[in-house]
Every structure is written in structure tokens, then in C-alpha cells.
Amino acid sequence: MEESQATFPRYLLHHAKVRPTHPAAREKDLGIWQTWSWAEVAAEVRALACGLAAQGFQRGMHLAIIGDNRPRLYWSMCAAQALGGIPVPMYQDAQAADLIFVLNDAEIAFALVEDQEQVDKMQETMPQVPSLAHVYYDDPRGLRNYPDVTSYERLLEIGREFDRGNPGFFEAEVDKGAAGDVAIMLYTSGTTGKPKGVCQTHGALIAAASGGIEFDRLTADESILSYLPMAWVGDNLFSYAQALVAGFTINCPESGDTVMTDLREIGPTYYFAPPRVFENLLTQVMIRMEDASRIKRALFRHFMAVARRCGAEILDGKPVGLGDRLQYRLGDWIIYGPLRNVLGLSRVRIAYTAGAAIGPDLFRFYRSIGINLKQLYGSTETCAYVCLQPDGGVKLDTVGQPAPNVEVKIGDNGEVLVRGPMLLKEYYKRPDATAESIDADGFFRTGDAGFFDDSGQLKIIDRAKDVGKLAGGAMFAPNYIENKLKFFPHVREAVAFGHERDMVCAFINIDMGSVGNWAERRGLAYSGYADLAQKSEVFGLIRECVEQVNAELATEAGLADSQIKRFLILHKELDPDDDELTRTRKVRRGFVAEKYVVLIDALYGDRKEQHIETLVRFEDGRTNMVAADLQIHEAKHFPATARQAA
Amino acid sequence: MSTEQRSGGEIVLKLDNISLAFGGVKALTDVSMDVREHEVRAIIGPNGAGKSSMLNVINGVYHPQQGTISFRGKVRRDMDTHDAAAQGIARTFQNIALFRGMSVLDNIMTGRNLKMRSSFIEQAIWFGRARREELDNRRKVEEVIDFLEIQHVRKTPVGRLPYGLQKRVELARALAAEPSMLLLDEPMAGMNVEEKQDMCRFILDVNEQYGTTIVLIEHDMGVVMDISDRVVVLDYGKKIGDGSPDDVRGNQAVIDAYLGVAH
């Protein structure tokens, strides 16, 4: 580790001095990767900060940042911090109406946004957000005739001029910064209630970042792909905090649609993705394999079986028989290596997943083909830094051991409590919520239920408030069941019900890409999602998945009663625009249960079919009614085979 | 965005008393219309009204039997396709006309053909001038790709793309020629609502950012009324209306042609 710095702008200046020509950021623009060195970034941030200062941005103010991952947006975060301001990144796909609350809550006066789409949103919100006065944009396309907005370039010019007139201003401002200052405010997506602004200090983020860097021995030579929403704490930790502390390179993809290609071109050494990204990658591989020739399919099947048998053990350095070892080596040569290359993960030294529980099979798949995928556990309030899995000590069903300098204990009600330097300073303007979530000893209540296993690794069962009991008394952990379902490429989303009921039932969303491809190969005609979802062939397909999950549940201690008895396939995909998912794509269980109460009643009744009408909201805010008759199907149950756990 | 800012340029293209017949079939009869610099000009009409024929006359695919065309001050009997392209008129077609086996990038590169000066031999060995030219042209093409947001299919063969994207690639190829006037033949036919919205946005952006004059044929009246500055209406090869979208909407002859006459 290098000498530690108190704030991110100081880290930036440090890198500009120590490794001025080392690449700090890359972005693919016009088909070519453009690179900026640390010295160039420092100069740009300086101009940007001076520009903001000249426009009236002051210490303690909030800067809204909205857009896809662009180096300029990351730099504007640093510029705001250099002035003692607080960047507030927001979800770029949120609708204007959803932004109003956050903009008002944070009293936003300055906003730096990516493009016309975001500028339109800002102008739409302005009448209801009186404080918002300055809007800057990065991409000038389509914005020529817009009044009252300023381009990023113009802001830089203003800044350079200001800098010439006030030499030493920038350095003085950076010097004023202290570790205890709030560095960033992130709004929790909130599966319930209004979003809360989580205030994180420089000190907390730097502690979390350095802890992770030390734990995984990260260096300035890492290269990562920054493609996750900037408003998510995970991206903030990996693409901003760790990059600035360790001095490694961030790479911004050309557009949201090119991430796969860009991933392959960059070949990151350190990779972070929520489980759904790994799920999508695997789904694509599986779809393509189904279309491959017979020989390739046979090879793939054979060597994946070998990998399942011994791949993860080889990665962990455990003893494996010579025959398997040789087979694995051969498989690495003809299947795993090329597969890693196709996925863009050839150079990955460490990959993490977090944000939601990952299906054990999914997790095992990546490890078995030689990708060092590990889990970590954390939340916005803890800078995504509570537990990490060590190399060689990875388990499928835990989230790892407490990270350096973090204390974890289990509360009386089974809730996971944590304490350490990475904890939030407070919820913005919500002392009540702050007091409620941090106890007298300084432990933060995570809201997750979990326990430590024999080897001292933390195992998370579910959200504490989601874990319920079946009417028969057995534990019901909906997330656990849903994750099992979601491992099947054909299942995109699932919602399980069962709390205080006599059986478990589920809603299922099919994966349009995967099932659509499956239907095409069978010559099954369909007009769209709703039509495809109600085909009897598709029901058969999904029933197989459900029954396989039931068979697995039957073998697990205490979960045999959680087998899914009845299920239906929803006529529409669950969507954040309809408030059914959070922006980070977690199911809002309560809301879904309320919205589709007729369907739940039908599941627990004995009906075979149920009519439903639903309001659907399109991306541009318009709405439409969708009606459908949903069939309800039953799945086979299996007798419990596991011995009951003590 | 107000439409007033765009219209009112000077007339760049003027068609006077154009008549076009294929044997006994009269496609166009004595039609006159003009296009102003920097406007979005729509041609509408029922099936078989002569809309595509009109575009084909403008860029020289068809040669009218009567009438004159004046483009940027030069009056002539008819246009020649090559001449039209050289003078900055680019177009897209109703049924997609792309090289299906070539990548999106290569297809768009063909739009730069007229801008290349190096000889066939130089291009074959990719040396000196040809290489410089290729780099410059590639940059231009990448700007168009960025503009139309098709980065993710840059290297995909066009035949594998969905219809809506192929339409966008065709627009990209036309834009790569850096035209001063763009003729679009039903750019939104067969698209879903979302694709139509995207396409509208792109057309308006092209018009605004590059100042390109746009002549388009479109059936979706919502689209036409939203994005055009002036609309000309054809029916059975004759002009029955010409003016702002509001004028045309209130024109009784147009209403009759579209909805049929009430009995």
C-alpha cells in the first residue's frame, strides 16, 4: 500500500504525481478505445471543479449526476468532491416523476447529465424542483436549440478561465477536505417506502476500498469494465473508490448494448457483476450451445460434466485424481478456455458477485470453468463491504468471512449486525431512520437473516422480514426457492408465496430470449411475450423446471415442505417501470402480492384459470391496459429424503 | 422544438408540371412542388398515388415525359441518378436495399463511395492515399454509427438483423454520403411503436444537427403531422393538397381521398 490519503481528490493528485502516464480511464468512442492518463484526468477534474465553482457551486452542495458510465461523469464526481461538494448519482433509467422526490430531498441546484434524454427529464422536473438551476450535459447531440443548459466543454472553458484568474484556488479547496466529510450520497432503492439518502464519508469509502485491495492484493495494473449503474454502491466502490485508491484503470463501454463485445476487447483482470449478469451470460452460452452442431454439443456436455465433478476443486487447489486432472486439462484446452474467451473473462484474476443471492449451480458453473468467482456481502449503508470470500476458501452457500476491520455478529432475532469504519454517517435528513438502523453499540442492522457456519463464514438465508413460516410450521425462505428457479435459463424471474399458507405457490416470468429461441426451434408460432407465456408447450417446459426444483428441495434439510405445488406464468414481465422491481431488479414482494392479489387467490383456490387486467407503463411514461387469461398448473411433489436437521 | 425555426429557407428543389406515364398508366399528372432548404417535407397519399414515383423522379431513377426539375438553380428536363448522388441527394428505399451478406460497417462504408478519390489499384493494395482515405472515411462512418446508435451491431452481417435495425442501417448508409438532401421512402413501414419513435427522433436529429433537407414518404399520419414542416398530398397521380400539416388536415379533398366520400 502507498501512503494513505484522506480524500479522493487527494488520491487523484497523488496518482497524477506518482504515475502521470498510467492509464486512468478508457472509453470506446467512434469504435476506438480512447485513453486518459492520470495526469490528464487530474487536469480535467481541476478545470471542471473550477468551472463549477465559477458557476456558484459551493462546499456542502449536492451535484446530481445522471447517465450511463462515462469517464466524464466519474470525473465530475471527483470535481464536486474537490470543492467539498457531494455528488449524488441517480439511476439513469428512472423516470422524471421518480427523480423528483430525490432531487427535492437532496435540494439539488446543480445537475450534470449525460445526454438529451436526461436533459429532457431535468427540464420536465424543473417546475416541481425549484432549487434546480444549473444543468450541464456531456453529449451535445440534439441539444443545439435547448435554452438554459450548458455543455460540459463550456463548463471546462469557464473553469480554465477561472483557474487562470484564481491560481491556487483548486489546491486550497482540495486541502480543505477531510476524511470525515461526506463523499457521496447514494439513494437506497428501497423495496419499501421512499428512498433514503445514504451519506458516506471519504474515510468510510477509502477504508472499504483499501480493505478490499489488501484482501485481494489488487494493484494499479488492474483493468476493470465500468458498466453497472453509477447510482449503485457496487459500482461506486469498484469503479470509483477502489480505482482511485489503487490507481487502476476503468474502462467505459461504448453503449449499454455493446457491453459483451467491450468486455471481450478489454479482457478485465478484475470483474464485478450482480448475479443477473452472470445469469444472462450463461443463458446466452446455453442458447448458442443448443444451436451448435451435434459434435460440439456432445463435447460441451462431456467436458461440462468433468468440470462439474472436479473444476471447482482444481481451482481451489484441492487434491483431485490424475484421470480427472488430465481430462480437465484437455477440457480446458478445447472447451473452458475458448468459453472463457467468448465470455470476455480470460484475464480475470478475481471476479465478484453481490447484490443478490446467486444460485449455487450458477456459481459452481463459473468456478468450474476456471473463473475465480467469489461472493461478497454488503449494502449501500456499508459501502458494499462486510464479508468477502478468500481465495481457496470459497463455499457455494456462504458470502465469506468478515472483511478486514469489520465486526459482524448475529442479533437475537437472527439478524446480521455489523460494525466498522465503512458504516454510513447517516441517512440524509432522517435522524429517525439513522437511529433505528444503528444500535447503541454502533452496530448497523442489515435487515438480513443469517448465521455463521462451522468455518466462520457467514451464510445469508434471506431478508429477515421475508423469511416466514408455512402454516405447518416449516421455515419458508422465498428468495432461496426463487433463486433455484432462476438458475434455469428459461426462467427470468420468480416470486414464491407461502408465508402462513399451507403450501408454496409461485409466479414465473419466462426468459423471452431463451424460451423464444426454444419455441423457434420447435416451429412454435407466437406473437409476443403474453402469447408465448400461455402456450401449453411452454407450460410443460416450465413444469419440468419447477419439478426439478421440487426434487432438489426434497433432499434439503427442512425445506421439503417448501416444494412448489401450484404455479402460473405471468402475462407480462415484471418491470421497474411498473414498480414491481426495484431499479436494481429485486422483486418488490409486497407490492407484487398486492397488485396480483386475484392471481394469488386463484393459486390458493382450486381454479384452473384466472382472468386478469393489468396496467402497463411504457418507458416513455404512457400506459396501457393488458388483459389475459392465465392458466394455473400443478407440479409434482417429491417425498422428503433429507434427514431432518437438528 | 418549434418548427418555425426550420422552415422558411430558400427553395432548393423545384418540380414544375411533372407528368410521368408508364405506357398507358399515368403515374404522375402535371404535379408541381418545391422543397425548401433545411425543411422536413412529407409526401403522402393513398396506395398507388405516385409517391414513390415522385421520389424516383427527384433522384433520376425515372425520367418524366413532361416538366422540368430545378435543383440548386440549375434547370433540367430530368435528373440522372449518379448526378443526383454527386450533388448531395441520398435516399433510402421502401423495400430494404442493403448487401445482406456484408457487415453493417461495410454496408455503411459503401455510402462513402463517392467521396473516395484513390484508384482501384491503390485501394486494392491499401497503400498511401487509399489508406489515408480509408481512415478518414471510417471515422466519418463511425460518427454515423454513433449518431444512429448501432454500435452493438457494427460487425454483424445485415441479413441477421431485425427489420427495424436494417432500416436504420439503410439510413446510416444514406447519411454516410453526407447528403444535403435526404429522400426517405417509408422509413417507418413495418416498425413497432418504439422503433417508430426512435426513427422520428433520428430524422429530426439529422435535420437539426446536419441541417439536412428531408423529403419523406410516410403512411403513419401521426408521424407525418408531428415531424414535417410542409406536406404535399397526391391522389391518383395528381396533387390535391400542399401546405402545413394543419392546412392539409383541414383540406376537404385530402379527407375525402383518405377516408372516402361519405354517402
Side-chain angles (χ1 to χ4, degrees):
Chain A
M1 282 298 297
E2 284 129 4
E3 55 167 315
S4 60
Q5 312 284 334
T7 66
F8 290 110
R10 282 192 221 170
Y11 265 108
L12 173 68
L13 297 181
H14 166 78
H15 293 304
K17 207 163 66 192
V18 178
R19 46 178 70 87
T21 58
H22 189 81
R26 295 193 193 98
E27 181 185 25
K28 197 173 179 188
D29 188 30
L30 299 182
I32 295 169
W33 286 97
Q34 319 277 340
T35 308
W36 290 268
S37 68
W38 281 109
E40 285 166 329
V41 172
E44 183 122 349
V45 166
R46 181 190 181 102
L48 203 50
C50 289
L52 285 170
Q55 297 265 296
F57 188 85
Q58 286 168 3
R59 192 156 286 276
M61 286 174 91
H62 292 121
L63 173 69
I65 294 171
I66 312 174
D68 284 328
N69 312 68
R70 295 268 162 265
R72 284 173 163 188
L73 297 189
Y74 286 112
W75 301 338
S76 61
M77 284 177 37
C78 198
Q81 290 172 345
L83 298 173
I86 301 153
V88 186
M90 297 175 192
Y91 283 97
Q92 71 273 30
D93 57 350
Q95 290 170 11
D98 297 343
L99 289 174
I100 289 172
F101 173 81
V102 174
L103 289 170
N104 274 324
D105 189 57
E107 296 148 19
I108 298 291
F110 288 75
L112 200 149
V113 302
E114 186 192 4
D115 55 10
Q116 185 185 19
E117 182 189 341
Q118 309 297 349
V119 170
D120 282 345
K121 273 189 219 165
M122 288 298 104
Q123 297 203 330
E124 201 181 323
T125 59
M126 269 180 168
Q128 288 155 77
V129 185
S131 56
L132 181 55
H134 303 269
V135 176
Y136 307 94
Y137 59 86
D138 172 8
D139 182 355
R141 159 147 179 222
L143 287 166
R144 185 180 295 186
N145 295 324
Y146 274 56
D148 310 325
V149 290
T150 313
S151 73
Y152 179 93
E153 269 85 12
R154 179 75 196 115
L155 185 60
L156 284 185
E157 275 170 35
I158 294 169
R160 293 203 184 94
E161 200 173 306
F162 182 88
D163 197 14
R164 277 192 293 276
N166 302 275
F169 169 83
F170 179 74
E171 287 82 357
E173 285 297 308
V174 171
D175 280 346
K176 282 186 211 160
D181 292 350
V182 175
I184 194 161
M185 189 153 91
L186 298 167
Y187 276 82
T188 53
S189 47
T191 34
T192 48
K194 282 279 176 201
K196 298 190 287 265
V198 177
C199 301
Q200 289 291 9
T201 61
H202 288 273
L205 275 164
I206 289 171
S210 346
I213 290 165
E214 209 175 317
F215 190 80
D216 284 311
R217 298 173 306 281
L218 302 173
T219 68
D221 295 322
E222 311 298 337
S223 194
I224 66 163
L225 192 71
S226 303
Y227 67 102
L228 296 162
M230 289 179 66
W232 187 43
V233 66
D235 186 65
N236 199 263
L237 179 66
F238 280 66
S239 300
Y240 189 77
Q242 289 195 340
L244 267 170
V245 173
F248 60 66
T249 313
I250 63 166
N251 301 279
C252 296
E254 194 168 16
S255 81
D257 297 328
T258 59
V259 169
M260 280 290 285
T261 328
D262 296 332
L263 188 65
R264 284 190 67 185
E265 287 175 358
I266 286 300
T269 58
Y270 180 41
Y271 184 61
F272 184 41
R276 77 186 145 80
V277 171
F278 286 109
E279 252 169 52
N280 289 345
L281 280 176
L282 178 61
T283 304
Q284 282 181 28
V285 169
M286 290 307 180
I287 290 176
R288 284 168 68 175
M289 273 325 295
E290 298 240 332
D291 286 337
S293 69
R294 195 179 289 235
I295 300 173
K296 285 184 189 159
R297 273 209 309 267
L299 278 174
F300 181 74
R301 260 202 306 273
H302 173 76
F303 283 109
M304 285 323 295
V306 172
R308 254 194 306 280
R309 202 159 62 227
C310 65
E313 284 72 19
I314 290 177
L315 188 65
D316 283 339
K318 290 182 185 145
V320 171
L322 183 66
D324 273 351
R325 211 169 260 284
L326 285 175
Q327 282 233 40
Y328 188 85
R329 179 62 65 83
L330 184 64
D332 195 49
W333 186 52
I334 60 179
I335 299 282
Y336 321 137
L339 183 55
R340 285 197 301 271
N341 188 25
V342 165
L343 294 171
L345 302 175
S346 295
R347 293 208 304 154
V348 164
R349 195 161 61 79
I350 293 150
Y352 272 111
T353 183
I358 187 166
D361 297 322
L362 182 64
F363 189 61
R364 198 180 293 126
F365 170 83
Y366 283 98
R367 288 194 64 81
S368 72
I369 61 167
I371 293 165
N372 187 16
L373 178 61
K374 307 195 283 179
Q375 303 187 65
L376 64 76
Y377 170 69
S379 62
T380 310
E381 289 87 348
T382 55
C383 297
Y385 177 78
V386 172
C387 285
L388 297 163
Q389 288 186 329
D391 286 341
V394 173
K395 290 188 171 185
L396 299 173
D397 53 355
T398 74
V399 293
Q401 64 196 40
N405 305 321
V406 176
E407 274 177 84
V408 182
K409 70 172 187 188
I410 306 297
D412 299 333
N413 57 349
E415 187 174 353
V416 178
L417 305 174
V418 298
R419 185 163 70 177
M422 75 304 166
L423 281 194
L424 75 164
K425 185 179 175 207
E426 62 189 354
Y427 289 111
Y428 189 58
K429 294 198 294 197
R430 291 287 302 275
D432 54 322
T434 313
E436 196 181 307
S437 64
I438 300 180
D439 71 12
D441 300 331
F443 277 95
F444 171 76
R445 291 182 222 277
T446 59
D448 289 318
F451 60 88
F452 282 103
D453 71 0
D454 306 337
S455 63
Q457 294 209 9
L458 183 65
K459 191 167 174 173
I460 299 291
I461 311 166
D462 208 330
R463 293 294 293 172
K465 66 177 167 45
D466 286 343
V467 176
K469 273 194 166 40
L470 290 169
M475 182 184 74
F476 168 66
N479 240 314
Y480 190 77
I481 302 169
E482 289 157 12
N483 286 327
K484 274 188 177 300
L485 281 168
K486 277 158 46 179
F487 174 65
F488 293 97
H490 298 314
V491 178
R492 181 172 180 84
E493 202 58 71
V495 192
F497 302 95
H499 181 52
E500 289 172 356
R501 305 265 193 179
D502 51 355
M503 62 179 178
V504 175
C505 292
F507 290 171
I508 285 172
N509 260 171
I510 53 172
D511 187 284
M512 198 57 197
S514 170
V515 179
N517 185 279
W518 176 87
E520 253 172 55
R521 272 183 288 109
R522 270 155 194 75
L524 199 62
Y526 61 94
S527 62
Y529 181 87
D531 184 28
L532 182 62
Q534 297 307 313
K535 295 271 178 210
S536 58
E537 292 88 340
V538 173
F539 265 108
L541 180 75
I542 299 301
R543 184 189 296 115
E544 275 172 35
C545 303
V546 171
E547 286 175 353
Q548 214 168 317
V549 168
N550 282 350
E552 278 171 35
L553 286 171
T555 64
E556 287 179 48
L559 290 173
D561 291 336
S562 292
Q563 294 184 51
I564 298 159
K565 201 149 212 161
R566 285 159 65 85
F567 70 96
L568 58 80
I569 303 181
L570 285 175
H571 55 301
K572 71 175 278 291
E573 291 179 273
L574 298 177
D575 197 298
D577 287 347
D578 292 324
D579 298 331
E580 291 153 343
L581 303 180
T582 66
R583 289 281 156 202
T584 46
R585 306 215 157 252
K586 289 180 196 163
V587 174
R588 299 174 74 164
R589 208 169 287 288
F591 181 85
V592 170
E594 220 168 277
K595 179 168 180 179
Y596 295 110
V597 69
V598 279
L599 295 180
I600 297 177
D601 290 346
L603 280 172
Y604 286 100
D606 50 5
R607 307 187 58 158
K608 291 257 173 269
E609 212 177 71
Q610 175 66 44
H611 181 78
I612 178 139
E613 284 183 14
T614 323
L615 194 69
V616 175
R617 189 175 301 151
F618 296 113
E619 247 173 58
D620 62 359
R622 289 175 309 131
T623 56
N624 195 11
M625 290 300 285
V626 172
D629 288 305
L630 302 188
Q631 305 163 44
I632 294 167
H633 288 249
E634 303 211 347
K636 201 161 58 181
H637 257 216
F638 296 84
T641 53
R643 98 199 123 73
Q644 283 299 310
Chain B
M1 189 161 44
S2 68
T3 48
E4 280 82 344
Q5 295 166 322
R6 300 194 310 228
S7 48
E10 55 187 86
I11 293 172
V12 283
L13 174 72
K14 197 161 176 344
L15 297 116
D16 283 310
N17 310 102
I18 297 287
S19 292
L20 173 74
F22 301 103
V25 182
K26 287 184 176 166
L28 294 170
T29 314
D30 200 23
V31 179
S32 300
M33 66 172 281
D34 56 33
V35 180
R36 292 174 188 276
E37 181 90 58
H38 201 42
E39 75 173 340
V40 177
R41 181 74 149 134
I43 304 177
I44 64 171
N47 281 333
K51 304 180 298 289
S52 294
S53 300
M54 199 72 197
L55 279 200
N56 283 333
V57 166
I58 294 174
N59 83 326
V61 176
Y62 295 159
H63 302 282
Q65 281 81 12
Q66 278 174 35
T68 54
I69 303 167
S70 65
F71 184 65
R72 299 203 182 279
K74 194 176 167 199
V75 184
R76 56 184 102 200
R77 275 282 292 126
D78 50 32
M79 295 290 272
D80 167 71
T81 46
H82 192 265
D83 204 25
Q87 289 191 50
I89 302 181
R91 74 168 294 180
T92 66
F93 296 87
Q94 191 173 352
N95 42 355
I96 294 166
L98 291 165
F99 302 101
R100 296 179 58 82
M102 277 165 41
S103 71
V104 167
L105 184 64
D106 290 340
N107 264 288
I108 303 174
M109 272 307 247
T110 60
R112 301 293 299 169
N113 209 6
L114 275 172
K115 309 275 174 194
M116 301 203 188
R117 295 279 165 265
S118 54
S119 70
F120 168 69
I121 306 278
E122 282 172 299
Q123 291 189 15
I125 56 174
W126 207 57
F127 185 71
R129 189 162 62 141
R131 190 185 165 120
R132 270 196 313 280
E133 252 184 0
E134 171 102 7
L135 292 179
D136 290 347
N137 285 314
R138 171 71 190 267
R139 186 177 168 79
K140 191 69 213 168
V141 166
E142 283 291 347
E143 280 169 19
V144 173
I145 288 177
D146 184 61
F147 190 83
L148 292 181
E149 294 167 12
I150 44 179
Q151 299 98 330
H152 59 298
V153 292
R154 188 185 278 126
K155 305 237 165 106
T156 314
V158 162
R160 272 178 35 198
L161 297 180
Y163 182 79
L165 268 180
Q166 291 195 14
K167 279 274 191 195
R168 222 191 279 181
V169 174
E170 213 188 15
L171 176 62
R173 183 179 61 184
L175 278 183
E178 296 178 77
S180 62
M181 181 180 285
L182 193 54
L183 312 180
L184 305 173
D185 197 346
E186 299 205 14
M188 280 160 252
M191 287 188 173
N192 63 32
V193 177
E194 206 182 325
E195 288 171 332
K196 274 186 189 174
Q197 282 182 348
D198 285 348
M199 197 51 136
C200 281
R201 192 74 255 157
F202 288 130
I203 291 173
L204 288 173
D205 282 352
V206 169
N207 180 255
E208 189 194 318
Q209 191 136 333
Y210 299 133
T212 314
T213 309
I214 289 168
V215 181
L216 84 154
I217 295 175
E218 185 47 56
H219 271 304
D220 186 321
M221 282 305 121
V223 167
V224 170
M225 296 301 166
D226 268 2
I227 70 173
S228 8
D229 298 311
R230 291 193 303 151
V231 182
V232 57
V233 193
L234 298 180
D235 191 21
Y236 293 113
K238 298 196 178 92
K239 184 164 94 170
I240 58 169
D242 193 351
S244 73
D246 286 334
D247 293 345
V248 167
R249 196 178 295 154
N251 183 331
Q252 192 57 43
V254 176
I255 296 170
D256 292 347
Y258 263 88
L259 300 177
V261 184
H263 295 290

